[in-house]
Amino acid sequence: MKVPKIIPIFAVIGAGIIVGGCADFRQELVAGAQRLPDFFPGAATSEGYWRGDDVPGPPKIVVHVGEQRAYFYKGHRLIGESTVSTGKRGFDTPPGRYRVTEKDKNHVSSEFGDYVNNRGEVVKSNIDVRKDAQPAGTHFDGARMPYFMRFNGGYGMHAGYVPQFRASHGCIRLPARMARHFFENARDDTPVIVRED
């Protein structure tokens, strides 16, 4: 039986050339798309766009859970939009009108994370310390939540993994680039409106 020859994929993105197989190509394609705003400020990507650094007006964030999108306004002007991942079934992000009560650029969760052994190996991942028993010989390693903005008790917005579906424990996750824009342009007391539609 003759084994088919695998032909490497070549592509050009931005100013760089990509060489490699399918997995490499996909990773570089995503990375290239994420670099678009560096080449073209204000450019839209699949994760969203930002066009508001120099726009005046009071900030407001509106999250549409049904769309898995967040919108950032200054005054009445929409200046940014991002894909998000909200709470999965059983951990739904509660709809309502809130305000940012705390901002922490390097937040680490005290409730969600992994149980890790002394060699640094993850023994049990994506745990909730309130529900998941800790295996012997492990310690809790809290999940990193960069650009965290608390808006309702234990709920907040932060950078994290953003699949195209609801996957969090109730927080609103944004891609890192968009989380940074939202964080830097919101202030304490910024309204956060979470809608089910």
Side-chain angles (χ1 to χ4, degrees), residues 58-183:
K60 176 176 74 174
I61 300 168
V62 180
V63 178
H64 290 267
V65 173
E67 297 176 9
Q68 292 293 281
R69 304 293 287 180
Y71 301 89
F72 197 106
Y73 295 85
K74 284 189 180 176
H76 295 290
R77 187 170 170 189
L78 176 64
I79 53 97
E81 178 182 336
S82 178
T83 184
V84 299
S85 182
T86 61
K88 59 189 173 185
R89 191 176 303 276
F91 294 91
D92 301 282
T93 305
R97 293 178 169 269
Y98 310 101
R99 290 192 176 269
V100 172
T101 58
E102 175 193 357
K103 292 177 66 180
D104 181 358
K105 185 177 179 180
N106 299 303
H107 187 73
V108 177
S109 178
S110 60
E111 297 175 354
F112 303 107
D114 303 320
Y115 287 133
V116 179
N117 65 22
N118 292 333
R119 293 186 302 274
E121 300 164 335
V122 175
V123 174
K124 194 171 187 182
S125 65
N126 200 25
I127 61 96
D128 179 340
V129 294
R130 299 166 299 178
K131 299 177 182 178
D132 297 304
Q134 184 171 347
T138 66
H139 63 275
F140 173 71
D141 184 26
R144 279 44 173 185
M145 299 177 170
Y147 303 113
F148 182 81
M149 294 191 292
R150 187 182 310 278
F151 62 83
N152 175 25
Y155 297 95
M157 304 181 77
H158 60 83
Y161 171 57
V162 183
Q164 295 180 341
F165 52 87
R166 303 175 191 194
S168 81
H169 286 102
C171 281
I172 298 167
R173 298 180 191 158
L174 297 92
R177 182 178 72 87
M178 299 309 298
R180 179 176 59 82
H181 285 307
F182 276 50
F183 183 89

Side-chain angles (χ1 to χ4, degrees), residues 184-195:
E184 291 175 350
N185 286 272
R187 56 184 183 233
D188 285 344
D189 211 39
T190 293
V192 177
I193 300 165
V194 180
R195 295 181 174 156

